[in-house]
mmCIF file of all heavy atoms in Angstrom:
data_model
loop_
_atom_site.group_PDB
_atom_site.id
_atom_site.type_symbol
_atom_site.label_atom_id
_atom_site.label_comp_id
_atom_site.label_asym_id
_atom_site.label_seq_id
_atom_site.Cartn_x
_atom_site.Cartn_y
_atom_site.Cartn_z
ATOM 1 N N MET A 1 7.076 -20.894 16.376
ATOM 2 C CA MET A 1 8.176 -20.205 15.601
ATOM 3 C C MET A 1 8.574 -18.965 16.313
ATOM 4 O O MET A 1 7.713 -18.137 16.654
ATOM 5 C CB MET A 1 7.662 -19.908 14.213
ATOM 6 C CG MET A 1 8.720 -19.554 13.227
ATOM 7 S SD MET A 1 9.805 -20.908 12.804
ATOM 8 C CE MET A 1 8.740 -21.862 11.716
ATOM 9 N N SER A 2 9.839 -18.841 16.613
ATOM 10 C CA SER A 2 10.260 -17.569 17.277
ATOM 11 C C SER A 2 11.359 -16.905 16.552
ATOM 12 O O SER A 2 12.139 -17.541 15.864
ATOM 13 C CB SER A 2 10.646 -17.855 18.724
ATOM 14 O OG SER A 2 11.910 -18.501 18.734
ATOM 15 N N ILE A 3 11.436 -15.655 16.694
ATOM 16 C CA ILE A 3 12.451 -14.851 16.026
ATOM 17 C C ILE A 3 13.250 -14.147 17.115
ATOM 18 O O ILE A 3 12.708 -13.703 18.085
ATOM 19 C CB ILE A 3 11.812 -13.838 15.057
ATOM 20 C CG1 ILE A 3 11.179 -14.566 13.910
ATOM 21 C CG2 ILE A 3 12.843 -12.798 14.580
ATOM 22 C CD1 ILE A 3 10.710 -13.751 12.798
ATOM 23 N N ASP A 4 14.495 -14.116 16.922
ATOM 24 C CA ASP A 4 15.419 -13.418 17.865
ATOM 25 C C ASP A 4 14.942 -12.000 18.134
ATOM 26 O O ASP A 4 14.666 -11.244 17.231
ATOM 27 C CB ASP A 4 16.838 -13.451 17.285
ATOM 28 C CG ASP A 4 17.881 -13.056 18.347
ATOM 29 O OD1 ASP A 4 17.968 -11.785 18.573
ATOM 30 O OD2 ASP A 4 18.501 -13.915 18.929
ATOM 31 N N SER A 5 14.845 -11.630 19.427
ATOM 32 C CA SER A 5 14.351 -10.302 19.763
ATOM 33 C C SER A 5 15.239 -9.218 19.255
ATOM 34 O O SER A 5 14.786 -8.145 18.937
ATOM 35 C CB SER A 5 14.045 -10.200 21.255
ATOM 36 O OG SER A 5 15.227 -10.390 21.968
ATOM 37 N N LYS A 6 16.542 -9.452 19.215
ATOM 38 C CA LYS A 6 17.456 -8.439 18.707
ATOM 39 C C LYS A 6 17.215 -8.228 17.217
ATOM 40 O O LYS A 6 17.291 -7.122 16.751
ATOM 41 C CB LYS A 6 18.879 -8.874 18.915
ATOM 42 C CG LYS A 6 19.293 -8.805 20.397
ATOM 43 C CD LYS A 6 20.679 -8.272 20.595
ATOM 44 C CE LYS A 6 20.994 -8.005 22.050
ATOM 45 N NZ LYS A 6 20.921 -9.228 22.854
ATOM 46 N N LEU A 7 16.947 -9.311 16.505
ATOM 47 C CA LEU A 7 16.641 -9.203 15.074
ATOM 48 C C LEU A 7 15.397 -8.368 14.856
ATOM 49 O O LEU A 7 15.296 -7.475 14.021
ATOM 50 C CB LEU A 7 16.550 -10.612 14.445
ATOM 51 C CG LEU A 7 16.135 -10.669 13.012
ATOM 52 C CD1 LEU A 7 17.238 -10.002 12.131
ATOM 53 C CD2 LEU A 7 15.886 -12.067 12.513
ATOM 54 N N LEU A 8 14.387 -8.667 15.687
ATOM 55 C CA LEU A 8 13.141 -7.932 15.625
ATOM 56 C C LEU A 8 13.318 -6.472 15.816
ATOM 57 O O LEU A 8 12.527 -5.697 15.205
ATOM 58 C CB LEU A 8 12.171 -8.508 16.639
ATOM 59 C CG LEU A 8 11.127 -9.501 16.260
ATOM 60 C CD1 LEU A 8 10.234 -9.816 17.356
ATOM 61 C CD2 LEU A 8 10.346 -8.990 14.986
ATOM 62 N N GLU A 9 14.281 -6.081 16.654
ATOM 63 C CA GLU A 9 14.442 -4.646 16.896
ATOM 64 C C GLU A 9 15.022 -3.872 15.698
ATOM 65 O O GLU A 9 14.797 -2.698 15.555
ATOM 66 C CB GLU A 9 15.393 -4.429 18.093
ATOM 67 C CG GLU A 9 14.774 -4.684 19.401
ATOM 68 C CD GLU A 9 15.700 -4.687 20.608
ATOM 69 O OE1 GLU A 9 16.813 -4.135 20.386
ATOM 70 O OE2 GLU A 9 15.336 -5.248 21.627
ATOM 71 N N ILE A 10 15.729 -4.620 14.799
ATOM 72 C CA ILE A 10 16.345 -3.899 13.746
ATOM 73 C C ILE A 10 15.576 -4.019 12.402
ATOM 74 O O ILE A 10 15.846 -3.227 11.513
ATOM 75 C CB ILE A 10 17.809 -4.322 13.478
ATOM 76 C CG1 ILE A 10 17.904 -5.844 13.228
ATOM 77 C CG2 ILE A 10 18.666 -3.978 14.666
ATOM 78 C CD1 ILE A 10 19.241 -6.310 12.717
ATOM 79 N N ILE A 11 14.692 -4.953 12.312
ATOM 80 C CA ILE A 11 13.967 -5.082 11.059
ATOM 81 C C ILE A 11 12.779 -4.174 11.035
ATOM 82 O O ILE A 11 12.094 -3.982 12.042
ATOM 83 C CB ILE A 11 13.601 -6.544 10.693
ATOM 84 C CG1 ILE A 11 12.745 -7.143 11.830
ATOM 85 C CG2 ILE A 11 14.835 -7.353 10.397
ATOM 86 C CD1 ILE A 11 12.338 -8.587 11.503
ATOM 87 N N VAL A 12 12.505 -3.557 9.921
ATOM 88 C CA VAL A 12 11.384 -2.612 9.706
ATOM 89 C C VAL A 12 10.649 -2.973 8.467
ATOM 90 O O VAL A 12 11.186 -3.714 7.605
ATOM 91 C CB VAL A 12 11.899 -1.179 9.692
ATOM 92 C CG1 VAL A 12 12.496 -0.758 11.037
ATOM 93 C CG2 VAL A 12 12.894 -0.954 8.599
ATOM 94 N N CYS A 13 9.465 -2.451 8.322
ATOM 95 C CA CYS A 13 8.708 -2.590 7.129
ATOM 96 C C CYS A 13 9.463 -2.031 5.963
ATOM 97 O O CYS A 13 9.921 -0.916 5.992
ATOM 98 C CB CYS A 13 7.386 -1.942 7.315
ATOM 99 S SG CYS A 13 6.408 -1.798 5.799
ATOM 100 N N PRO A 14 9.611 -2.835 4.832
ATOM 101 C CA PRO A 14 10.378 -2.286 3.710
ATOM 102 C C PRO A 14 9.653 -1.167 2.955
ATOM 103 O O PRO A 14 10.228 -0.439 2.203
ATOM 104 C CB PRO A 14 10.531 -3.518 2.765
ATOM 105 C CG PRO A 14 9.481 -4.452 3.234
ATOM 106 C CD PRO A 14 9.240 -4.217 4.695
ATOM 107 N N GLN A 15 8.377 -1.019 3.232
ATOM 108 C CA GLN A 15 7.578 0.007 2.573
ATOM 109 C C GLN A 15 7.604 1.311 3.340
ATOM 110 O O GLN A 15 7.848 2.409 2.766
ATOM 111 C CB GLN A 15 6.180 -0.480 2.353
ATOM 112 C CG GLN A 15 5.309 0.506 1.610
ATOM 113 C CD GLN A 15 4.211 -0.152 0.825
ATOM 114 O OE1 GLN A 15 4.422 -0.587 -0.266
ATOM 115 N NE2 GLN A 15 3.004 -0.141 1.428
ATOM 116 N N CYS A 16 7.281 1.256 4.641
ATOM 117 C CA CYS A 16 7.103 2.514 5.414
ATOM 118 C C CYS A 16 8.157 2.701 6.457
ATOM 119 O O CYS A 16 8.172 3.707 7.127
ATOM 120 C CB CYS A 16 5.727 2.567 6.019
ATOM 121 S SG CYS A 16 5.491 1.432 7.429
ATOM 122 N N ARG A 17 9.055 1.691 6.627
ATOM 123 C CA ARG A 17 10.105 1.760 7.698
ATOM 124 C C ARG A 17 9.467 1.702 9.066
ATOM 125 O O ARG A 17 10.173 2.141 10.041
ATOM 126 C CB ARG A 17 11.024 2.982 7.544
ATOM 127 C CG ARG A 17 11.559 3.200 6.115
ATOM 128 C CD ARG A 17 12.835 2.439 6.027
ATOM 129 N NE ARG A 17 13.187 2.360 4.584
ATOM 130 C CZ ARG A 17 13.980 1.446 4.028
ATOM 131 N NH1 ARG A 17 14.510 0.512 4.830
ATOM 132 N NH2 ARG A 17 14.253 1.395 2.793
ATOM 133 N N GLY A 18 8.256 1.320 9.187
ATOM 134 C CA GLY A 18 7.573 1.239 10.430
ATOM 135 C C GLY A 18 7.994 -0.035 11.190
ATOM 136 O O GLY A 18 8.475 -0.932 10.662
ATOM 137 N N LYS A 19 7.572 -0.073 12.447
ATOM 138 C CA LYS A 19 7.800 -1.223 13.331
ATOM 139 C C LYS A 19 6.882 -2.405 12.903
ATOM 140 O O LYS A 19 5.694 -2.122 12.584
ATOM 141 C CB LYS A 19 7.573 -0.841 14.730
ATOM 142 C CG LYS A 19 8.024 -1.880 15.816
ATOM 143 C CD LYS A 19 7.711 -1.347 17.186
ATOM 144 C CE LYS A 19 8.207 -2.259 18.340
ATOM 145 N NZ LYS A 19 8.247 -3.621 18.011
ATOM 146 N N LEU A 20 7.381 -3.585 12.925
ATOM 147 C CA LEU A 20 6.617 -4.740 12.542
ATOM 148 C C LEU A 20 6.149 -5.483 13.828
ATOM 149 O O LEU A 20 6.887 -5.620 14.768
ATOM 150 C CB LEU A 20 7.488 -5.661 11.687
ATOM 151 C CG LEU A 20 7.785 -5.097 10.266
ATOM 152 C CD1 LEU A 20 8.923 -5.950 9.679
ATOM 153 C CD2 LEU A 20 6.589 -5.055 9.366
ATOM 154 N N ASN A 21 4.981 -5.963 13.792
ATOM 155 C CA ASN A 21 4.368 -6.751 14.904
ATOM 156 C C ASN A 21 4.564 -8.215 14.628
ATOM 157 O O ASN A 21 4.131 -8.678 13.547
ATOM 158 C CB ASN A 21 2.918 -6.422 15.083
ATOM 159 C CG ASN A 21 2.674 -4.951 15.375
ATOM 160 O OD1 ASN A 21 3.240 -4.390 16.299
ATOM 161 N ND2 ASN A 21 1.842 -4.307 14.560
ATOM 162 N N LEU A 22 5.138 -8.913 15.613
ATOM 163 C CA LEU A 22 5.305 -10.313 15.462
ATOM 164 C C LEU A 22 4.024 -11.103 15.679
ATOM 165 O O LEU A 22 3.438 -10.943 16.756
ATOM 166 C CB LEU A 22 6.430 -10.777 16.412
ATOM 167 C CG LEU A 22 6.737 -12.266 16.331
ATOM 168 C CD1 LEU A 22 7.346 -12.669 14.976
ATOM 169 C CD2 LEU A 22 7.790 -12.647 17.428
ATOM 170 N N GLU A 23 3.679 -11.926 14.702
ATOM 171 C CA GLU A 23 2.488 -12.756 14.858
ATOM 172 C C GLU A 23 2.959 -14.201 14.691
ATOM 173 O O GLU A 23 4.117 -14.371 14.248
ATOM 174 C CB GLU A 23 1.448 -12.354 13.890
ATOM 175 C CG GLU A 23 1.016 -10.889 14.043
ATOM 176 C CD GLU A 23 -0.213 -10.523 13.306
ATOM 177 O OE1 GLU A 23 -0.531 -11.222 12.302
ATOM 178 O OE2 GLU A 23 -0.835 -9.501 13.678
ATOM 179 N N PRO A 24 2.131 -15.189 14.955
ATOM 180 C CA PRO A 24 2.604 -16.591 14.961
ATOM 181 C C PRO A 24 3.337 -16.964 13.653
ATOM 182 O O PRO A 24 4.334 -17.664 13.722
ATOM 183 C CB PRO A 24 1.334 -17.398 15.144
ATOM 184 C CG PRO A 24 0.460 -16.485 15.960
ATOM 185 C CD PRO A 24 0.763 -15.056 15.456
ATOM 186 N N GLU A 25 2.819 -16.556 12.537
ATOM 187 C CA GLU A 25 3.479 -17.070 11.247
ATOM 188 C C GLU A 25 3.778 -15.867 10.340
ATOM 189 O O GLU A 25 4.012 -16.122 9.127
ATOM 190 C CB GLU A 25 2.542 -18.113 10.560
ATOM 191 C CG GLU A 25 2.464 -19.373 11.409
ATOM 192 C CD GLU A 25 1.599 -20.392 10.707
ATOM 193 O OE1 GLU A 25 1.045 -20.094 9.636
ATOM 194 O OE2 GLU A 25 1.512 -21.472 11.223
ATOM 195 N N SER A 26 3.817 -14.692 10.847
ATOM 196 C CA SER A 26 4.064 -13.558 9.971
ATOM 197 C C SER A 26 4.480 -12.332 10.823
ATOM 198 O O SER A 26 4.452 -12.360 12.062
ATOM 199 C CB SER A 26 2.805 -13.233 9.215
ATOM 200 O OG SER A 26 1.775 -12.813 10.060
ATOM 201 N N LEU A 27 4.930 -11.327 10.102
ATOM 202 C CA LEU A 27 5.196 -10.041 10.683
ATOM 203 C C LEU A 27 4.232 -9.086 10.056
ATOM 204 O O LEU A 27 4.023 -9.083 8.797
ATOM 205 C CB LEU A 27 6.636 -9.557 10.417
ATOM 206 C CG LEU A 27 7.741 -10.347 11.164
ATOM 207 C CD1 LEU A 27 9.084 -10.078 10.527
ATOM 208 C CD2 LEU A 27 7.715 -9.960 12.605
ATOM 209 N N PHE A 28 3.559 -8.255 10.885
ATOM 210 C CA PHE A 28 2.500 -7.429 10.362
ATOM 211 C C PHE A 28 2.826 -6.006 10.564
ATOM 212 O O PHE A 28 3.209 -5.560 11.621
ATOM 213 C CB PHE A 28 1.153 -7.766 11.067
ATOM 214 C CG PHE A 28 0.002 -6.987 10.594
ATOM 215 C CD1 PHE A 28 -0.385 -7.113 9.251
ATOM 216 C CD2 PHE A 28 -0.688 -6.127 11.422
ATOM 217 C CE1 PHE A 28 -1.516 -6.344 8.788
ATOM 218 C CE2 PHE A 28 -1.723 -5.374 11.005
ATOM 219 C CZ PHE A 28 -2.159 -5.501 9.655
ATOM 220 N N CYS A 29 2.662 -5.213 9.485
ATOM 221 C CA CYS A 29 2.873 -3.750 9.591
ATOM 222 C C CYS A 29 1.481 -3.111 9.587
ATOM 223 O O CYS A 29 0.712 -3.183 8.596
ATOM 224 C CB CYS A 29 3.645 -3.227 8.422
ATOM 225 S SG CYS A 29 3.761 -1.462 8.394
ATOM 226 N N SER A 30 1.051 -2.488 10.747
ATOM 227 C CA SER A 30 -0.303 -1.943 10.779
ATOM 228 C C SER A 30 -0.517 -0.756 9.906
ATOM 229 O O SER A 30 -1.567 -0.602 9.271
ATOM 230 C CB SER A 30 -0.779 -1.721 12.214
ATOM 231 O OG SER A 30 0.246 -1.689 13.128
ATOM 232 N N PRO A 31 0.425 0.220 9.758
ATOM 233 C CA PRO A 31 0.223 1.330 8.907
ATOM 234 C C PRO A 31 -0.030 0.958 7.483
ATOM 235 O O PRO A 31 -0.906 1.542 6.769
ATOM 236 C CB PRO A 31 1.504 2.225 9.004
ATOM 237 C CG PRO A 31 2.071 1.780 10.299
ATOM 238 C CD PRO A 31 1.704 0.366 10.547
ATOM 239 N N CYS A 32 0.652 -0.062 6.963
ATOM 240 C CA CYS A 32 0.455 -0.529 5.548
ATOM 241 C C CYS A 32 -0.541 -1.577 5.438
ATOM 242 O O CYS A 32 -0.927 -1.949 4.310
ATOM 243 C CB CYS A 32 1.776 -1.048 4.979
ATOM 244 S SG CYS A 32 3.199 0.031 5.064
ATOM 245 N N ALA A 33 -0.917 -2.249 6.528
ATOM 246 C CA ALA A 33 -1.760 -3.454 6.525
ATOM 247 C C ALA A 33 -1.136 -4.552 5.723
ATOM 248 O O ALA A 33 -1.781 -5.356 5.017
ATOM 249 C CB ALA A 33 -3.154 -3.136 6.066
ATOM 250 N N LEU A 34 0.186 -4.636 5.736
ATOM 251 C CA LEU A 34 0.884 -5.677 5.012
ATOM 252 C C LEU A 34 1.395 -6.716 5.952
ATOM 253 O O LEU A 34 1.867 -6.462 7.032
ATOM 254 C CB LEU A 34 2.078 -5.053 4.249
ATOM 255 C CG LEU A 34 1.763 -4.260 2.968
ATOM 256 C CD1 LEU A 34 3.090 -3.703 2.351
ATOM 257 C CD2 LEU A 34 1.067 -5.130 1.941
ATOM 258 N N GLU A 35 1.274 -7.976 5.466
ATOM 259 C CA GLU A 35 1.654 -9.088 6.288
ATOM 260 C C GLU A 35 2.778 -9.816 5.560
ATOM 261 O O GLU A 35 2.658 -10.262 4.411
ATOM 262 C CB GLU A 35 0.448 -10.056 6.358
ATOM 263 C CG GLU A 35 0.621 -11.154 7.313
ATOM 264 C CD GLU A 35 -0.702 -12.062 7.296
ATOM 265 O OE1 GLU A 35 -1.785 -11.462 7.231
ATOM 266 O OE2 GLU A 35 -0.529 -13.268 7.390
ATOM 267 N N PHE A 36 3.960 -9.875 6.230
ATOM 268 C CA PHE A 36 5.123 -10.487 5.648
ATOM 269 C C PHE A 36 5.304 -11.933 6.228
ATOM 270 O O PHE A 36 5.272 -12.124 7.403
ATOM 271 C CB PHE A 36 6.375 -9.653 5.966
ATOM 272 C CG PHE A 36 6.245 -8.279 5.373
ATOM 273 C CD1 PHE A 36 5.764 -7.270 6.118
ATOM 274 C CD2 PHE A 36 6.687 -8.017 4.094
ATOM 275 C CE1 PHE A 36 5.655 -5.941 5.595
ATOM 276 C CE2 PHE A 36 6.604 -6.729 3.541
ATOM 277 C CZ PHE A 36 6.075 -5.719 4.263
ATOM 278 N N PRO A 37 5.422 -12.879 5.330
ATOM 279 C CA PRO A 37 5.540 -14.323 5.828
ATOM 280 C C PRO A 37 6.836 -14.570 6.547
ATOM 281 O O PRO A 37 7.852 -13.893 6.259
ATOM 282 C CB PRO A 37 5.381 -15.093 4.492
ATOM 283 C CG PRO A 37 5.885 -14.244 3.426
ATOM 284 C CD PRO A 37 5.529 -12.828 3.842
ATOM 285 N N ILE A 38 6.838 -15.497 7.396
ATOM 286 C CA ILE A 38 8.046 -16.005 8.058
ATOM 287 C C ILE A 38 8.224 -17.462 7.536
ATOM 288 O O ILE A 38 7.349 -18.286 7.758
ATOM 289 C CB ILE A 38 7.928 -16.020 9.577
ATOM 290 C CG1 ILE A 38 7.734 -14.581 10.081
ATOM 291 C CG2 ILE A 38 9.188 -16.602 10.220
ATOM 292 C CD1 ILE A 38 7.429 -14.515 11.541
ATOM 293 N N ARG A 39 9.295 -17.675 6.811
ATOM 294 C CA ARG A 39 9.533 -19.023 6.258
ATOM 295 C C ARG A 39 10.798 -19.620 6.895
ATOM 296 O O ARG A 39 11.894 -19.082 6.843
ATOM 297 C CB ARG A 39 9.818 -18.912 4.715
ATOM 298 C CG ARG A 39 8.529 -18.417 4.017
ATOM 299 C CD ARG A 39 8.563 -18.676 2.541
ATOM 300 N NE ARG A 39 7.483 -17.958 1.887
ATOM 301 C CZ ARG A 39 7.613 -17.098 0.959
ATOM 302 N NH1 ARG A 39 8.768 -16.812 0.409
ATOM 303 N NH2 ARG A 39 6.460 -16.492 0.411
ATOM 304 N N ASN A 40 10.540 -20.772 7.513
ATOM 305 C CA ASN A 40 11.639 -21.512 8.234
ATOM 306 C C ASN A 40 12.365 -20.583 9.240
ATOM 307 O O ASN A 40 13.564 -20.638 9.336
ATOM 308 C CB ASN A 40 12.664 -22.038 7.251
ATOM 309 C CG ASN A 40 12.035 -23.016 6.257
ATOM 310 O OD1 ASN A 40 11.171 -23.793 6.619
ATOM 311 N ND2 ASN A 40 12.326 -22.874 4.995
ATOM 312 N N GLY A 41 11.591 -19.725 9.919
ATOM 313 C CA GLY A 41 12.177 -18.906 10.957
ATOM 314 C C GLY A 41 12.743 -17.652 10.377
ATOM 315 O O GLY A 41 13.308 -16.819 11.165
ATOM 316 N N ILE A 42 12.713 -17.418 9.077
ATOM 317 C CA ILE A 42 13.317 -16.249 8.517
ATOM 318 C C ILE A 42 12.237 -15.370 7.947
ATOM 319 O O ILE A 42 11.488 -15.755 7.104
ATOM 320 C CB ILE A 42 14.324 -16.679 7.411
ATOM 321 C CG1 ILE A 42 15.443 -17.498 7.962
ATOM 322 C CG2 ILE A 42 14.912 -15.451 6.698
ATOM 323 C CD1 ILE A 42 16.249 -18.242 6.969
ATOM 324 N N PRO A 43 12.158 -14.063 8.424
ATOM 325 C CA PRO A 43 11.143 -13.170 7.877
ATOM 326 C C PRO A 43 11.493 -12.773 6.451
ATOM 327 O O PRO A 43 12.644 -12.432 6.142
ATOM 328 C CB PRO A 43 11.212 -11.958 8.843
ATOM 329 C CG PRO A 43 12.481 -12.117 9.626
ATOM 330 C CD PRO A 43 12.998 -13.456 9.501
ATOM 331 N N VAL A 44 10.478 -12.853 5.627
ATOM 332 C CA VAL A 44 10.669 -12.476 4.229
ATOM 333 C C VAL A 44 10.128 -11.097 4.030
ATOM 334 O O VAL A 44 8.911 -10.835 3.912
ATOM 335 C CB VAL A 44 9.877 -13.507 3.314
ATOM 336 C CG1 VAL A 44 10.118 -13.142 1.823
ATOM 337 C CG2 VAL A 44 10.333 -14.886 3.570
ATOM 338 N N LEU A 45 11.036 -10.122 4.056
ATOM 339 C CA LEU A 45 10.626 -8.676 4.014
ATOM 340 C C LEU A 45 10.641 -8.154 2.607
ATOM 341 O O LEU A 45 11.411 -7.242 2.250
ATOM 342 C CB LEU A 45 11.489 -7.872 4.945
ATOM 343 C CG LEU A 45 11.417 -8.249 6.390
ATOM 344 C CD1 LEU A 45 12.317 -7.393 7.284
ATOM 345 C CD2 LEU A 45 9.963 -8.149 6.897
ATOM 346 N N LEU A 46 9.896 -8.774 1.779
ATOM 347 C CA LEU A 46 9.740 -8.332 0.393
ATOM 348 C C LEU A 46 8.296 -7.903 0.153
ATOM 349 O O LEU A 46 7.428 -8.638 0.410
ATOM 350 C CB LEU A 46 10.146 -9.490 -0.559
ATOM 351 C CG LEU A 46 11.552 -10.049 -0.439
ATOM 352 C CD1 LEU A 46 11.698 -11.296 -1.273
ATOM 353 C CD2 LEU A 46 12.556 -9.022 -0.813
ATOM 354 N N ILE A 47 8.188 -6.700 -0.462
ATOM 355 C CA ILE A 47 6.863 -6.254 -0.730
ATOM 356 C C ILE A 47 6.091 -7.245 -1.690
ATOM 357 O O ILE A 47 4.913 -7.430 -1.542
ATOM 358 C CB ILE A 47 6.892 -4.844 -1.238
ATOM 359 C CG1 ILE A 47 7.354 -3.870 -0.158
ATOM 360 C CG2 ILE A 47 5.507 -4.329 -1.801
ATOM 361 C CD1 ILE A 47 7.752 -2.474 -0.594
ATOM 362 N N ASP A 48 6.830 -7.769 -2.604
ATOM 363 C CA ASP A 48 6.247 -8.772 -3.493
ATOM 364 C C ASP A 48 5.729 -10.019 -2.823
ATOM 365 O O ASP A 48 4.786 -10.642 -3.362
ATOM 366 C CB ASP A 48 7.280 -9.222 -4.559
ATOM 367 C CG ASP A 48 7.588 -8.116 -5.619
ATOM 368 O OD1 ASP A 48 6.816 -7.182 -5.611
ATOM 369 O OD2 ASP A 48 8.493 -8.263 -6.348
ATOM 370 N N SER A 49 6.304 -10.338 -1.638
ATOM 371 C CA SER A 49 5.826 -11.541 -0.947
ATOM 372 C C SER A 49 4.777 -11.238 0.100
ATOM 373 O O SER A 49 4.194 -12.122 0.675
ATOM 374 C CB SER A 49 7.012 -12.193 -0.222
ATOM 375 O OG SER A 49 7.994 -12.583 -1.154
ATOM 376 N N ALA A 50 4.541 -9.944 0.304
ATOM 377 C CA ALA A 50 3.630 -9.536 1.360
ATOM 378 C C ALA A 50 2.167 -9.653 0.925
ATOM 379 O O ALA A 50 1.888 -9.549 -0.282
ATOM 380 C CB ALA A 50 3.909 -8.120 1.801
ATOM 381 N N LYS A 51 1.319 -9.915 1.893
ATOM 382 C CA LYS A 51 -0.076 -9.985 1.622
ATOM 383 C C LYS A 51 -0.779 -8.739 2.253
ATOM 384 O O LYS A 51 -0.498 -8.440 3.356
ATOM 385 C CB LYS A 51 -0.697 -11.234 2.252
ATOM 386 C CG LYS A 51 -0.631 -12.423 1.299
ATOM 387 C CD LYS A 51 -1.423 -13.586 1.979
ATOM 388 C CE LYS A 51 -0.500 -14.607 2.607
ATOM 389 N NZ LYS A 51 -1.166 -15.609 3.392
ATOM 390 N N LYS A 52 -1.651 -8.150 1.445
ATOM 391 C CA LYS A 52 -2.426 -7.018 1.991
ATOM 392 C C LYS A 52 -3.571 -7.568 2.798
ATOM 393 O O LYS A 52 -4.291 -8.502 2.382
ATOM 394 C CB LYS A 52 -2.951 -6.211 0.855
ATOM 395 C CG LYS A 52 -3.586 -4.851 1.255
ATOM 396 C CD LYS A 52 -2.495 -3.729 1.177
ATOM 397 C CE LYS A 52 -3.225 -2.389 1.550
ATOM 398 N NZ LYS A 52 -2.240 -1.354 1.715
ATOM 399 N N ARG A 53 -3.727 -7.070 3.988
ATOM 400 C CA ARG A 53 -4.777 -7.553 4.845
ATOM 401 C C ARG A 53 -6.014 -6.602 4.842
ATOM 402 O O ARG A 53 -5.824 -5.426 4.761
ATOM 403 C CB ARG A 53 -4.266 -7.686 6.283
ATOM 404 C CG ARG A 53 -5.157 -8.418 7.225
ATOM 405 C CD ARG A 53 -4.616 -8.468 8.631
ATOM 406 N NE ARG A 53 -3.524 -9.464 8.722
ATOM 407 C CZ ARG A 53 -2.881 -9.722 9.850
ATOM 408 N NH1 ARG A 53 -3.177 -9.036 10.911
ATOM 409 N NH2 ARG A 53 -1.904 -10.578 9.880
ATOM 410 N N GLY A 54 -7.164 -7.198 4.927
ATOM 411 C CA GLY A 54 -8.367 -6.409 5.116
ATOM 412 C C GLY A 54 -9.084 -6.028 3.831
ATOM 413 O O GLY A 54 -8.619 -6.219 2.733
HETATM 414 ZN ZN1 ZN B 1 4.673 -0.560 6.574
#
């Protein structure tokens, strides 16, 4: 699953506005430790859909 690199440059964490790290099936915000799912190639940047890691 890949996401357009230009899209990745403009999307940020909805909670802290930080940069998101692309992982195979999710986008991960390290400051928040929140993992946002990618569904059908579309990142779901909703805090309600995010999973807290750790
Ligand atoms: Zn964040």
Side-chain angles (χ1 to χ4, degrees):
M1 194 68 75
S2 74
I3 291 188
D4 192 279
S5 59
K6 291 219 169 61
L7 178 63
L8 261 185
E9 283 171 20
I10 58 168
I11 56 179
V12 294
C13 171
Q15 180 153 280
C16 73
R17 309 274 166 202
K19 192 179 182 330
L20 293 164
N21 300 305
L22 181 61
E23 299 192 341
E25 291 181 359
S26 63
L27 289 165
F28 181 64
C29 176
S30 17
C32 304
L34 284 178
E35 188 180 323
F36 299 91
I38 299 173
R39 295 195 189 126
N40 302 318
I42 300 166
V44 182
L45 297 179
L46 300 171
I47 292 168
D48 286 350
S49 301
K51 270 187 258 171
K52 189 93 176 170
R53 189 181 287 181

